[in-house]
Amino acid sequence: AAGVIQSPRHLIKEKRETATLKCYPIPRHDTVYWYQQGPGQDPQFLISFYEKMQSDKGSIPDRFSAQQFSDYHSELNMSSLELGDSALYFCASSLALRGLAADNEQFFGPGTRLTVL
Amino acid sequence: SQQGEEDPQALSIQEGENATMNCSYKTSINNLQWYRQNSGRGLVHLILIRSNEREKHSGRLRVTLDTSKKSSSLLITASRAADTASYFCATDAQGTYKYIFGTGTRLKVLA
């Protein structure tokens, strides 16, 4: 079965540079979520999109922005990178079926490991 | 904050033994999910349990949910060395579709 695809898998950037992470959800999933996991930490929710609209916002820095496109893929844009942004960035997708008794079962991609030097 | 806490933080057992991990959370939820993560790797979805369910099984995994106590447990029976990983619970608060992760339990199964 198709899974969530993230690209790139690894990314190395210098401080103050920008980075764009991409996420391709499982086909027919309408909701995308972004999480950040620092070394030795639990994943922290950043932001989510449902049907191309932002649905929930977590601890996402103002330097980061994200969007979901008409084909449901999503991009996380990160500017003015800092050393502390080095982390694993996960994307997850689900079929939210809002208004119905839905599972909202989230499936995660393999993650993008961002290293800021 | 809705962040869950997991207990124990670390667990070391012998192969063949059962492993039990607990998760507590703070607010009313729609669903609770358990994930497994090998060191530095992706999150693997194990089980989702809805707020109106009390117990769910999948292979060697058994998950219970007690919404009155705002807690869940994950039981791995007949553990194997390959079960060595971190296990996280994640909950979505009612009215939201974001999941908040617990702090995780690091399980080590000794061969």
Side-chain angles (χ1 to χ4, degrees):
Chain A
V4 177
I5 296 171
Q6 289 188 246
S7 69
R9 294 292 308 275
H10 301 273
L11 189 58
I12 298 175
K13 291 284 185 179
E14 301 276 342
K15 277 195 313 184
R16 292 181 288 278
E17 286 190 321
T18 61
T20 297
L21 310 185
K22 297 186 179 182
C23 169
Y24 298 86
I26 291 171
R28 291 184 297 281
H29 278 190
D30 54 12
T31 307
V32 169
Y33 312 78
W34 286 96
Y35 293 84
Q36 177 192 58
Q37 186 178 29
Q41 298 181 358
D42 50 285
Q44 296 290 319
F45 172 76
L46 293 178
I47 196 166
S48 64
F49 292 87
Y50 166 66
E51 285 290 343
K52 292 153 279 182
M53 299 290 290
Q54 181 183 307
S55 55
D56 280 297
K57 196 169 181 180
S59 50
I60 184 169
D62 292 340
R63 298 177 290 108
F64 294 6
S65 65
Q67 57 182 326
Q68 186 180 32
F69 296 86
S70 57
D71 63 352
Y72 294 102
H73 95 272
S74 177
E75 294 183 4
L76 176 66
N77 298 293
M78 310 159 70
S79 62
S80 302
L81 287 169
E82 301 173 356
L83 296 178
D85 296 329
S86 295
L88 263 173
Y89 289 84
F90 289 105
C91 170
S93 75
S94 71
L95 183 60
L97 292 175
R98 287 170 196 228
L100 303 175
D103 281 348
N104 195 30
E105 198 165 7
Q106 288 192 3
F107 295 89
F108 280 73
T112 293
R113 183 174 293 282
L114 172 67
T115 302
V116 181
L117 302 175
Chain B
S1 143
Q2 190 197 326
Q3 183 176 22
E5 292 191 1
E6 293 184 57
D7 139 64
Q9 290 191 341
L11 180 61
S12 187
I13 59 173
Q14 294 291 325
E15 209 167 26
E17 293 182 334
N18 296 341
T20 300
M21 291 160 269
N22 302 296
C23 164
S24 61
Y25 55 91
K26 297 180 181 177
T27 64
S28 296
I29 62 171
N30 296 314
N31 304 295
L32 184 145
Q33 301 187 91
W34 282 92
Y35 290 88
R36 165 204 167 111
Q37 185 179 38
N38 287 71
S39 180
R41 308 291 291 276
L43 289 153
V44 175
H45 183 266
L46 296 176
I47 285 186
L48 177 145
I49 187 164
R50 297 189 190 94
S51 58
N52 62 355
E53 296 176 317
R54 291 296 165 258
E55 189 170 311
K56 214 161 179 179
H57 297 255
S58 177
R60 294 183 296 113
L61 307 180
R62 173 177 165 249
V63 168
T64 61
L65 179 64
D66 186 337
T67 52
S68 66
K69 295 181 180 177
K70 293 187 170 58
S71 68
S72 174
S73 68
L74 169 67
L75 168 68
I76 304 174
T77 60
S79 63
R80 305 167 182 166
D83 295 328
T84 295
S86 290
Y87 292 82
F88 293 93
C89 72
T91 54
D92 62 341
Q94 285 183 352
T96 79
Y97 283 80
K98 63 182 180 183
Y99 278 90
I100 304 298
F101 280 76
T103 49
T105 293
R106 292 186 310 280
L107 173 67
K108 187 169 186 178
V109 181
L110 304 169

